[in-house]
Structures are given as C-alpha cells and as structure tokens.
Coordinates of all heavy atoms in Angstrom, one line a residue:
M1 N 0.8 -1.2 0.0 CA 0.0 0.0 0.1 C 0.9 1.2 0.1 O 1.8 1.4 0.8 CB -0.8 0.0 1.3 CG -1.8 1.1 1.5 SD -3.3 1.0 0.5 CE -4.2 -0.3 1.4
I2 N 0.7 2.1 -0.9 CA 1.5 3.3 -1.0 C 0.5 4.5 -0.8 O -0.6 4.4 -1.4 CB 2.4 3.5 -2.2 CG1 1.5 3.6 -3.4 CG2 3.3 2.5 -2.3 CD1 2.2 4.4 -4.6
Q3 N 1.0 5.6 -0.2 CA 0.1 6.8 -0.2 C 0.4 7.6 -1.4 O 1.6 7.9 -1.7 CB 0.4 7.5 1.1 CG -0.7 8.7 1.2 CD -0.3 9.7 2.4 OE1 0.5 9.2 3.2 NE2 -0.8 10.8 2.3
L4 N -0.6 8.1 -2.0 CA -0.4 9.0 -3.2 C -0.4 10.4 -2.7 O -1.4 10.9 -2.3 CB -1.5 8.6 -4.3 CG -1.7 7.2 -4.8 CD1 -3.0 7.1 -5.5 CD2 -0.5 6.8 -5.5
T5 N 0.8 11.0 -2.9 CA 0.8 12.4 -2.4 C 0.9 13.3 -3.7 O -0.2 13.8 -4.2 CB 2.0 12.7 -1.6 OG1 3.2 12.0 -2.1 CG2 1.7 12.0 -0.2
T6 N 2.1 13.5 -4.3 CA 2.2 14.2 -5.5 C 2.5 13.4 -6.7 O 3.0 12.2 -6.5 CB 3.4 15.4 -5.2 OG1 4.4 14.6 -5.0 CG2 3.0 16.3 -4.2
A7 N 2.2 13.9 -7.9 CA 2.5 13.2 -9.1 C 3.9 13.0 -9.3 O 4.3 11.9 -9.8 CB 1.9 13.9 -10.2
T8 N 4.8 13.9 -8.8 CA 6.2 13.8 -9.0 C 6.8 12.4 -8.3 O 7.6 11.9 -8.7 CB 7.0 15.0 -8.4 OG1 6.3 15.5 -7.4 CG2 7.3 16.0 -9.4
K9 N 6.1 12.0 -7.2 CA 6.5 10.9 -6.3 C 6.4 9.7 -7.2 O 7.2 8.7 -7.1 CB 5.7 10.9 -5.1 CG 6.5 10.0 -4.1 CD 5.6 9.8 -2.8 CE 6.0 8.7 -2.1 NZ 5.0 8.4 -0.9
I10 N 5.4 9.6 -8.1 CA 5.2 8.4 -9.0 C 5.4 8.8 -10.4 O 5.1 7.9 -11.2 CB 3.8 7.8 -8.7 CG1 2.7 8.8 -9.2 CG2 3.6 7.4 -7.2 CD1 1.4 8.1 -9.4
Q11 N 6.3 9.8 -10.7 CA 6.5 10.2 -12.1 C 7.2 9.0 -12.8 O 6.9 8.8 -14.0 CB 7.5 11.4 -12.1 CG 7.5 12.1 -13.4 CD 6.2 12.4 -14.1 OE1 5.4 13.0 -13.5 NE2 5.9 11.9 -15.3
K12 N 8.2 8.4 -12.2 CA 8.9 7.3 -12.9 C 7.9 6.2 -13.3 O 8.0 5.7 -14.4 CB 10.0 6.7 -11.9 CG 11.3 7.3 -12.1 CD 12.4 6.5 -11.2 CE 13.7 7.2 -11.3 NZ 14.6 6.6 -10.3
A13 N 7.0 5.9 -12.4 CA 6.0 4.8 -12.6 C 5.1 5.4 -13.9 O 4.7 4.5 -14.7 CB 5.2 4.5 -11.4
I14 N 4.7 6.6 -13.8 CA 3.9 7.2 -14.8 C 4.7 7.1 -16.1 O 4.0 6.7 -17.2 CB 3.5 8.7 -14.6 CG1 2.7 8.7 -13.3 CG2 2.8 9.4 -15.8 CD1 2.4 10.1 -12.7
D15 N 6.0 7.4 -16.2 CA 6.7 7.3 -17.4 C 6.7 5.9 -18.0 O 6.6 5.6 -19.1 CB 8.1 7.9 -17.1 CG 8.1 9.3 -17.0 OD1 7.3 10.0 -17.3 OD2 9.1 9.8 -16.4
K16 N 7.0 4.9 -17.0 CA 7.0 3.6 -17.4 C 5.7 3.0 -18.0 O 5.6 2.4 -19.0 CB 7.4 2.7 -16.3 CG 7.6 1.2 -16.8 CD 8.5 0.4 -16.0 CE 8.7 -1.0 -16.6 NZ 9.1 -2.0 -15.7
A17 N 4.6 3.5 -17.3 CA 3.2 3.2 -17.9 C 2.9 3.7 -19.2 O 2.4 3.0 -20.1 CB 2.1 3.7 -16.9
R18 N 3.6 4.9 -19.5 CA 3.4 5.4 -20.7 C 4.1 4.7 -21.9 O 3.8 4.5 -23.1 CB 3.9 7.0 -20.8 CG 3.0 7.9 -20.1 CD 3.2 9.4 -20.6 NE 2.3 10.2 -19.9 CZ 2.7 11.1 -19.0 NH1 4.0 11.3 -18.8 NH2 1.8 11.8 -18.4
T19 N 5.3 4.1 -21.5 CA 6.0 3.2 -22.4 C 5.4 1.8 -22.5 O 5.3 1.4 -23.5 CB 7.5 3.1 -21.9 OG1 8.0 4.4 -21.4 CG2 8.5 2.5 -22.8
V20 N 5.0 1.3 -21.5 CA 4.6 -0.2 -21.4 C 3.1 -0.2 -22.0 O 2.7 -1.1 -22.6 CB 4.6 -0.8 -20.0 CG1 4.1 -2.1 -20.1 CG2 6.1 -0.8 -19.7
K21 N 2.3 0.9 -21.7 CA 0.9 0.9 -22.0 C 0.2 -0.3 -21.7 O -0.3 -1.0 -22.6 CB 0.8 1.2 -23.5 CG 1.3 2.6 -24.1 CD 0.9 2.8 -25.5 CE 1.3 4.1 -26.1 NZ 2.7 4.4 -26.0
P22 N 0.1 -0.6 -20.4 CA -0.8 -1.8 -20.0 C -2.2 -1.5 -20.2 O -2.6 -0.4 -20.3 CB -0.3 -1.9 -18.4 CG -0.1 -0.5 -18.2 CD 0.7 0.2 -19.3
R23 N -2.8 -2.7 -20.3 CA -4.3 -2.6 -20.4 C -5.0 -2.5 -19.0 O -4.7 -3.3 -18.2 CB -4.8 -3.7 -21.2 CG -6.3 -3.8 -21.7 CD -6.4 -4.6 -22.7 NE -6.5 -6.0 -22.3 CZ -7.7 -6.6 -22.1 NH1 -8.9 -6.2 -22.3 NH2 -7.6 -7.9 -21.6
V24 N -5.8 -1.6 -18.8 CA -6.5 -1.3 -17.6 C -7.9 -1.7 -17.7 O -8.7 -1.1 -18.6 CB -6.3 0.0 -17.1 CG1 -7.0 0.1 -15.7 CG2 -4.9 0.4 -16.9
R25 N -8.5 -2.7 -16.9 CA -9.9 -2.9 -17.1 C -10.5 -2.6 -15.7 O -9.8 -2.8 -14.6 CB -10.1 -4.5 -17.3 CG -10.0 -4.9 -18.7 CD -10.3 -6.3 -18.9 NE -9.3 -7.1 -18.3 CZ -9.6 -8.2 -17.7 NH1 -10.8 -8.8 -17.7 NH2 -8.6 -9.0 -17.0
I26 N -11.7 -2.1 -15.7 CA -12.2 -1.7 -14.4 C -13.0 -3.0 -13.9 O -13.9 -3.6 -14.5 CB -13.3 -0.6 -14.7 CG1 -12.6 0.6 -15.3 CG2 -14.1 -0.3 -13.3 CD1 -13.6 1.6 -15.9
N27 N -12.6 -3.3 -12.7 CA -13.3 -4.4 -11.9 C -14.5 -3.8 -11.3 O -15.6 -4.4 -11.5 CB -12.3 -4.8 -10.9 CG -12.7 -6.3 -10.3 OD1 -13.5 -6.9 -10.9 ND2 -12.0 -6.6 -9.2
R28 N -14.4 -2.8 -10.5 CA -15.4 -1.9 -10.0 C -14.8 -0.5 -9.7 O -13.5 -0.5 -9.8 CB -16.0 -2.6 -8.8 CG -15.1 -2.8 -7.6 CD -15.7 -3.4 -6.3 NE -14.6 -4.0 -5.6 CZ -13.8 -3.3 -4.8 NH1 -13.8 -2.0 -4.8 NH2 -12.9 -3.9 -4.2
F29 N -15.5 0.4 -9.4 CA -14.9 1.8 -9.1 C -13.9 1.5 -7.9 O -14.3 1.1 -6.8 CB -16.0 2.7 -8.6 CG -15.5 4.1 -8.5 CD1 -15.1 4.9 -9.5 CD2 -15.4 4.6 -7.1 CE1 -14.5 6.2 -9.3 CE2 -14.9 5.9 -7.0 CZ -14.4 6.6 -8.1
G30 N -12.6 1.8 -8.1 CA -11.6 1.7 -7.2 C -10.8 0.4 -7.2 O -9.9 0.3 -6.5
S31 N -11.2 -0.4 -8.1 CA -10.5 -1.7 -8.3 C -10.2 -2.0 -9.8 O -11.2 -2.0 -10.5 CB -11.3 -2.8 -7.6 OG -10.6 -4.1 -7.8
Y32 N -9.0 -2.2 -10.2 CA -8.6 -2.3 -11.5 C -7.8 -3.5 -11.8 O -7.0 -3.9 -11.0 CB -7.9 -1.0 -12.0 CG -8.8 0.1 -11.7 CD1 -8.7 0.8 -10.4 CD2 -9.8 0.7 -12.7 CE1 -9.5 1.9 -10.1 CE2 -10.6 1.7 -12.2 CZ -10.5 2.4 -11.0 OH -11.3 3.3 -10.7
I33 N -8.0 -4.1 -13.0 CA -7.1 -5.1 -13.5 C -6.2 -4.7 -14.5 O -6.7 -4.2 -15.5 CB -8.0 -6.3 -14.0 CG1 -9.3 -6.7 -13.2 CG2 -7.2 -7.5 -14.4 CD1 -9.1 -7.5 -11.9
V34 N -4.8 -4.8 -14.2 CA -3.8 -4.2 -15.1 C -3.1 -5.4 -15.7 O -2.5 -6.2 -15.0 CB -2.9 -3.3 -14.2 CG1 -1.9 -2.6 -15.4 CG2 -3.7 -2.2 -13.7
T35 N -3.0 -5.4 -17.0 CA -2.5 -6.5 -17.7 C -1.3 -5.9 -18.6 O -1.4 -5.0 -19.3 CB -3.5 -7.2 -18.7 OG1 -4.6 -7.6 -17.9 CG2 -2.8 -8.4 -19.4
N36 N -0.2 -6.5 -18.5 CA 1.0 -6.2 -19.3 C 0.7 -7.0 -20.6 O 0.9 -8.2 -20.5 CB 2.3 -6.7 -18.6 CG 3.6 -6.4 -19.5 OD1 3.6 -6.5 -20.7 ND2 4.7 -6.0 -18.8
K37 N 0.5 -6.3 -21.7 CA 0.3 -6.9 -23.0 C 1.2 -7.7 -23.5 O 1.0 -8.8 -24.2 CB -0.3 -6.0 -24.0 CG -1.7 -5.3 -23.7 CD -2.1 -4.4 -24.7 CE -1.6 -2.9 -24.4 NZ -2.1 -1.9 -25.3
A38 N 2.5 -7.4 -23.1 CA 3.6 -8.2 -23.8 C 3.8 -9.5 -23.0 O 4.0 -10.6 -23.6 CB 4.9 -7.3 -23.6
T39 N 3.7 -9.6 -21.7 CA 4.0 -10.8 -20.9 C 2.6 -11.5 -20.6 O 2.6 -12.7 -20.2 CB 4.8 -10.5 -19.6 OG1 3.9 -9.7 -18.8 CG2 6.0 -9.7 -20.0
G40 N 1.5 -10.8 -20.5 CA 0.3 -11.4 -20.2 C 0.0 -11.4 -18.7 O -0.9 -11.8 -18.2
A41 N 1.1 -10.8 -17.9 CA 0.9 -10.7 -16.4 C -0.1 -9.8 -16.0 O -0.3 -8.7 -16.6 CB 2.3 -10.2 -15.9
T42 N -0.9 -10.3 -15.0 CA -2.1 -9.5 -14.7 C -2.1 -9.2 -13.1 O -1.7 -10.1 -12.4 CB -3.4 -10.2 -15.0 OG1 -3.5 -10.3 -16.4 CG2 -4.7 -9.6 -14.5
Y43 N -2.3 -8.0 -12.8 CA -2.3 -7.6 -11.4 C -3.5 -6.9 -11.0 O -4.1 -6.2 -12.0 CB -1.0 -6.9 -11.1 CG 0.3 -7.5 -11.5 CD1 0.9 -7.2 -12.7 CD2 0.8 -8.5 -10.5 CE1 2.1 -7.9 -13.0 CE2 1.9 -9.2 -11.0 CZ 2.6 -8.9 -12.2 OH 3.7 -9.6 -12.5
T44 N -3.9 -6.8 -9.8 CA -5.1 -6.1 -9.2 C -4.6 -4.8 -8.5 O -3.7 -4.9 -7.7 CB -5.9 -7.0 -8.3 OG1 -6.2 -8.0 -9.2 CG2 -7.2 -6.2 -8.0
V45 N -5.0 -3.6 -8.9 CA -4.7 -2.4 -8.2 C -6.0 -1.9 -7.5 O -7.1 -1.8 -8.1 CB -4.2 -1.4 -9.2 CG1 -3.9 -0.1 -8.5 CG2 -2.8 -1.9 -9.8
E46 N -5.9 -1.6 -6.3 CA -7.0 -1.0 -5.5 C -6.7 0.4 -5.2 O -5.6 0.7 -4.6 CB -7.2 -1.8 -4.3 CG -7.4 -3.3 -4.4 CD -8.8 -3.7 -4.5 OE1 -9.7 -2.9 -4.2 OE2 -9.1 -4.9 -4.9
C47 N -7.5 1.3 -5.4 CA -7.4 2.7 -5.0 C -8.4 3.1 -4.0 O -9.6 2.6 -4.1 CB -7.7 3.5 -6.2 SG -6.6 3.3 -7.7
L48 N -8.0 3.6 -2.9 CA -8.9 3.9 -1.9 C -8.6 5.2 -1.2 O -7.4 5.8 -1.2 CB -9.0 2.8 -0.8 CG -7.8 2.5 0.0 CD1 -7.8 3.1 1.3 CD2 -7.7 1.0 0.2
R49 N -9.6 5.8 -0.4 CA -9.4 7.1 0.1 C -9.7 7.0 1.5 O -10.8 6.4 2.0 CB -10.4 8.0 -0.5 CG -10.0 9.5 -0.5 CD -10.9 10.3 -1.3 NE -10.6 11.7 -0.9 CZ -11.0 12.7 -1.8 NH1 -11.5 12.4 -2.9 NH2 -10.7 13.9 -1.4
R50 N -8.8 7.3 2.5 CA -9.0 7.2 3.9 C -8.5 8.4 4.6 O -7.4 8.8 4.3 CB -8.2 5.9 4.4 CG -8.5 5.5 5.7 CD -7.6 4.3 6.2 NE -7.8 3.1 5.4 CZ -6.9 2.2 5.4 NH1 -5.8 2.3 5.8 NH2 -7.3 1.0 4.6
D51 N -9.4 9.0 5.4 CA -9.1 10.3 6.1 C -8.6 11.4 5.1 O -7.6 12.1 5.5 CB -7.9 10.1 7.2 CG -8.4 9.0 8.2 OD1 -9.5 8.9 8.5 OD2 -7.5 8.2 8.8
G52 N -9.2 11.4 4.0 CA -8.8 12.5 3.0 C -7.4 12.2 2.3 O -7.1 13.0 1.4
K53 N -6.9 11.0 2.6 CA -5.6 10.7 1.8 C -5.9 9.6 0.9 O -6.8 8.7 1.1 CB -4.6 10.2 2.8 CG -4.1 11.3 3.7 CD -3.2 10.7 4.9 CE -2.9 11.8 5.9 NZ -2.7 11.3 7.2
R54 N -5.2 9.6 -0.3 CA -5.3 8.6 -1.3 C -4.3 7.5 -1.2 O -3.1 7.9 -0.9 CB -5.3 9.2 -2.6 CG -6.5 10.1 -2.9 CD -6.4 10.9 -4.2 NE -7.6 11.7 -4.6 CZ -7.7 12.9 -4.1 NH1 -6.8 13.5 -3.4 NH2 -8.9 13.5 -4.4
F55 N -4.8 6.3 -1.3 CA -3.8 5.2 -1.2 C -4.0 4.2 -2.4 O -5.2 4.2 -3.0 CB -4.0 4.3 0.1 CG -3.7 5.1 1.3 CD1 -4.8 5.9 2.1 CD2 -2.4 5.1 1.9 CE1 -4.5 6.6 3.1 CE2 -2.2 5.9 3.0 CZ -3.1 6.6 3.7
A56 N -3.0 3.5 -2.8 CA -3.2 2.5 -3.8 C -2.3 1.3 -3.5 O -1.3 1.5 -2.8 CB -2.9 3.0 -5.2
S57 N -2.8 0.2 -3.9 CA -1.9 -1.1 -3.7 C -2.0 -1.9 -5.0 O -2.9 -1.8 -5.7 CB -2.6 -1.9 -2.6 OG -3.8 -2.4 -2.8
C58 N -1.0 -2.7 -5.1 CA -0.9 -3.5 -6.3 C -0.3 -4.9 -5.8 O 0.3 -5.1 -4.9 CB 0.1 -2.9 -7.3 SG 0.3 -3.9 -8.8
T59 N -0.8 -5.9 -6.5 CA -0.5 -7.3 -6.2 C 0.8 -7.7 -6.8 O 1.3 -8.9 -6.5 CB -1.6 -8.2 -6.5 OG1 -1.9 -8.1 -8.0 CG2 -2.9 -8.0 -5.8
C60 N 1.5 -6.9 -7.5 CA 2.9 -7.2 -8.1 C 3.9 -7.1 -6.9 O 3.6 -6.6 -6.0 CB 3.2 -6.4 -9.3 SG 3.8 -4.9 -8.9
Q61 N 5.0 -7.7 -7.2 CA 6.2 -7.6 -6.2 C 6.5 -6.4 -5.7 O 6.7 -6.1 -4.5 CB 7.4 -8.4 -6.8 CG 7.3 -9.9 -6.7 CD 8.8 -10.6 -6.9 OE1 9.7 -9.8 -7.3 NE2 8.8 -11.8 -6.8
A62 N 6.7 -5.5 -6.7 CA 7.1 -4.0 -6.3 C 6.0 -3.4 -5.5 O 6.2 -2.7 -4.5 CB 7.4 -3.3 -7.6
G63 N 4.9 -3.5 -5.9 CA 3.6 -3.0 -5.2 C 3.5 -3.6 -3.7 O 3.2 -2.9 -2.8
E64 N 3.7 -4.9 -3.5 CA 3.7 -5.4 -2.3 C 4.8 -5.0 -1.4 O 4.7 -5.0 -0.1 CB 3.7 -7.0 -2.4 CG 2.2 -7.4 -2.9 CD 2.1 -8.8 -2.9 OE1 3.0 -9.7 -3.0 OE2 0.9 -9.3 -3.0
R65 N 5.9 -4.6 -2.0 CA 6.9 -3.9 -1.2 C 6.8 -2.5 -0.8 O 7.6 -1.8 -0.2 CB 8.3 -4.1 -1.9 CG 8.9 -5.5 -1.8 CD 10.3 -5.6 -2.2 NE 10.6 -5.1 -3.5 CZ 10.7 -5.9 -4.5 NH1 10.7 -7.2 -4.4 NH2 11.0 -5.4 -5.7
G66 N 5.5 -1.8 -1.3 CA 5.3 -0.6 -1.1 C 5.8 0.5 -2.1 O 5.9 1.6 -1.8
N67 N 6.3 -0.1 -3.2 CA 6.7 0.8 -4.3 C 5.6 1.2 -5.2 O 4.8 0.4 -5.5 CB 8.0 0.2 -5.0 CG 9.1 -0.2 -4.1 OD1 9.4 0.7 -3.3 ND2 9.6 -1.4 -4.1
A68 N 5.8 2.4 -5.7 CA 4.9 2.8 -6.8 C 5.2 2.1 -8.2 O 6.3 2.4 -8.7 CB 5.0 4.2 -7.1
C69 N 4.4 1.2 -8.6 CA 4.8 0.5 -9.8 C 4.0 1.0 -11.0 O 3.0 1.9 -10.7 CB 4.4 -1.0 -9.7 SG 2.7 -1.3 -9.2
Y70 N 4.3 0.7 -12.2 CA 3.6 1.4 -13.3 C 2.1 0.8 -13.4 O 1.3 1.5 -14.0 CB 4.3 1.1 -14.7 CG 4.3 -0.2 -15.1 CD1 3.3 -0.7 -16.0 CD2 5.3 -1.1 -14.8 CE1 3.3 -1.9 -16.5 CE2 5.3 -2.4 -15.2 CZ 4.4 -2.9 -16.2 OH 4.3 -4.1 -16.6
H71 N 1.7 -0.2 -12.8 CA 0.3 -0.7 -12.7 C -0.5 0.3 -11.9 O -1.6 0.6 -12.3 CB 0.3 -2.1 -11.9 CG 1.3 -3.1 -12.5 ND1 2.3 -3.6 -11.7 CD2 1.5 -3.6 -13.7 CE1 3.1 -4.4 -12.4 NE2 2.6 -4.5 -13.6
I72 N 0.1 0.8 -10.8 CA -0.6 1.7 -10.0 C -0.7 3.0 -10.7 O -1.9 3.5 -10.8 CB 0.2 1.9 -8.7 CG1 0.0 0.7 -7.7 CG2 -0.3 3.2 -8.0 CD1 0.7 0.8 -6.4
A73 N 0.2 3.4 -11.5 CA 0.2 4.6 -12.2 C -0.8 4.5 -13.3 O -1.7 5.5 -13.4 CB 1.7 4.9 -12.8
A74 N -0.9 3.4 -14.0 CA -1.9 3.3 -15.0 C -3.3 3.2 -14.5 O -4.2 3.8 -15.0 CB -1.6 2.0 -15.8
A75 N -3.5 2.5 -13.4 CA -4.8 2.4 -12.7 C -5.3 3.7 -12.1 O -6.4 3.9 -12.3 CB -4.8 1.2 -11.6
V76 N -4.4 4.4 -11.6 CA -4.7 5.6 -10.9 C -5.2 6.7 -12.0 O -6.1 7.3 -11.8 CB -3.5 6.2 -10.1 CG1 -3.8 7.7 -9.8 CG2 -3.4 5.6 -8.8
S77 N -4.6 6.6 -13.2 CA -4.9 7.5 -14.2 C -6.3 7.2 -14.7 O -7.2 8.0 -15.0 CB -3.8 7.4 -15.3 OG -4.4 7.4 -16.6
A78 N -6.7 5.8 -14.9 CA -8.0 5.5 -15.1 C -9.0 5.8 -14.0 O -10.2 6.2 -14.3 CB -7.9 3.8 -15.4
H79 N -8.5 5.7 -12.7 CA -9.4 5.9 -11.7 C -9.9 7.4 -11.6 O -10.9 7.8 -11.4 CB -8.7 5.5 -10.4 CG -9.4 5.7 -9.1 ND1 -10.7 5.1 -8.8 CD2 -9.2 6.6 -8.1 CE1 -11.1 5.5 -7.7 NE2 -10.3 6.4 -7.1
L80 N -8.8 8.3 -11.9 CA -9.1 9.8 -11.8 C -10.0 10.2 -13.0 O -10.9 10.9 -12.8 CB -7.7 10.5 -12.0 CG -6.8 10.4 -10.7 CD1 -5.4 11.1 -11.0 CD2 -7.4 10.9 -9.5
Q81 N -9.8 9.5 -14.1 CA -10.7 9.8 -15.3 C -12.2 9.3 -14.8 O -13.1 10.0 -15.2 CB -10.1 8.9 -16.5 CG -11.0 9.1 -17.7 CD -10.9 10.6 -18.3 OE1 -9.9 11.3 -18.1 NE2 -12.2 11.0 -18.9
L82 N -12.2 8.2 -14.2 CA -13.5 7.6 -13.9 C -14.2 8.5 -12.8 O -15.4 8.9 -12.9 CB -13.3 6.2 -13.4 CG -14.6 5.3 -13.3 CD1 -15.2 5.0 -14.7 CD2 -14.3 3.9 -12.8
A83 N -13.5 8.9 -11.8 CA -14.0 9.7 -10.7 C -14.4 11.1 -11.3 O -15.4 11.7 -10.9 CB -12.8 10.0 -9.8
F84 N -13.6 11.6 -12.3 CA -13.9 12.9 -13.0 C -15.3 12.7 -13.7 O -16.2 13.6 -13.6 CB -12.8 13.3 -14.0 CG -13.1 14.6 -14.7 CD1 -13.1 15.8 -14.2 CD2 -13.6 14.4 -16.1 CE1 -13.5 16.9 -14.9 CE2 -13.9 15.5 -16.8 CZ -13.9 16.8 -16.3
E85 N -15.5 11.6 -14.4 CA -16.7 11.4 -15.2 C -17.9 11.3 -14.2 O -19.0 11.8 -14.6 CB -16.6 10.2 -16.1 CG -15.7 10.4 -17.3 CD -15.4 9.2 -18.1 OE1 -15.9 8.2 -17.9 OE2 -14.5 9.3 -18.9
R86 N -17.6 10.5 -13.3 CA -18.7 10.4 -12.2 C -19.1 11.7 -11.6 O -20.4 12.0 -11.5 CB -18.2 9.5 -11.0 CG -18.3 8.0 -11.2 CD -17.9 7.5 -9.9 NE -18.7 6.2 -9.7 CZ -18.8 5.7 -8.5 NH1 -18.4 6.3 -7.4 NH2 -19.5 4.6 -8.3
A87 N -18.2 12.6 -11.3 CA -18.4 13.9 -10.7 C -19.2 14.7 -11.7 O -20.2 15.5 -11.4 CB -17.2 14.5 -10.2
T88 N -18.7 14.5 -12.9 CA -19.4 15.5 -14.0 C -20.7 15.0 -14.4 O -21.8 15.9 -14.4 CB -18.5 15.3 -15.3 OG1 -17.1 15.7 -15.0 CG2 -18.9 16.3 -16.4
L89 N -21.1 13.7 -14.3 CA -22.3 13.2 -14.8 C -23.4 13.2 -13.6 O -24.5 13.0 -13.7 CB -22.1 11.8 -15.3 CG -21.4 11.7 -16.6 CD1 -21.2 10.3 -16.9 CD2 -22.0 12.5 -17.7
N90 N -22.7 13.4 -12.4 CA -23.6 13.4 -11.1 C -24.3 14.7 -10.8 O -23.9 15.3 -9.8 CB -22.7 12.9 -10.0 CG -23.6 12.6 -8.7 OD1 -24.8 12.3 -8.8 ND2 -22.9 12.5 -7.6
F91 N -25.0 15.3 -11.7 CA -25.7 16.6 -11.6 C -27.1 16.4 -11.1 O -27.6 15.3 -11.0 CB -25.5 17.5 -12.7 CG -26.1 16.9 -14.0 CD1 -27.4 16.8 -14.4 CD2 -25.1 16.3 -14.8 CE1 -27.8 16.3 -15.5 CE2 -25.6 15.7 -16.2 CZ -26.9 15.6 -16.4
Ligands
ZN101 ZN1 2.2 -3.4 -9.7

C-alpha cells in the first residue's frame, strides 16, 4: 500500500506506464485489473481514500513492497478519469 501524495513521487512509474501501455480494465470503481500486454501478467490495483488521503495497492512484487509500480500509475490515471466522469455526470 502506498500513499499517493504528489504526481512527482510516482513520475517514474507514470513514465513507465506510458512506455509499457498496460491494459486497464475496471473491476469496480476503485479496483482495476492491469495487464502487461507483452507478458500477459495481470495484477489487481486497488485505489482507496482514507481520512482524506489517497492510497493505492498492487499485487505485483514491487507493489507489495510498497513501491509505486507502473500498474498503480496506469490504474490511478484510469481511476481519476472515472472519478472525474462520475463527478461530471452526477448533476
Ligand atoms: Zn504493480
């Protein structure tokens, strides 16, 4: 589980996600299945909010060690898009 503070903190992971371009499928709001198209490896990323802070976790090795992996970067980007759409459509 990592705390998401600033984008700069996970910038490396964001850069890697842009290169790898993993596939992100929505499991449910806040839960995403991220697949590396090249290797077929699939991981689950959970995004949650607690006490006004944002957290994310990933089932890959790096994620389980508390590192920001590109799966988290890719899922968070999808999550923010979804949250934005929800907020926009919720009028
Ligand atoms: Zn990961």
Side-chain angles (χ1 to χ4, degrees):
M1 181 83 69
I2 65 155
Q3 188 187 341
L4 302 169
T5 48
T6 58
T8 27
K9 203 182 161 193
I10 61 163
Q11 190 57 51
K12 267 189 188 165
I14 293 170
D15 290 344
K16 183 152 186 205
R18 284 201 183 115
T19 312
V20 178
K21 293 189 178 66
R23 192 156 71 101
V24 181
R25 278 182 300 144
I26 300 161
N27 196 12
R28 57 178 162 75
F29 184 71
S31 178
Y32 305 88
I33 314 288
V34 183
T35 306
N36 180 324
K37 285 181 277 187
T39 65
T42 294
Y43 304 101
T44 305
V45 175
E46 306 268 347
C47 301
L48 62 98
R49 209 171 166 154
R50 195 184 289 157
D51 302 328
K53 291 171 186 146
R54 292 178 176 84
F55 296 89
S57 67
C58 179
T59 52
C60 79
Q61 274 193 0
E64 285 185 341
R65 281 198 300 263
N67 295 314
C69 56
Y70 70 91
H71 313 112
I72 287 178
V76 164
S77 140
H79 181 65
L80 292 177
Q81 180 65 33
L82 200 62
F84 174 78
E85 283 169 13
R86 272 190 151 199
T88 309
L89 296 172
N90 190 17
F91 52 81

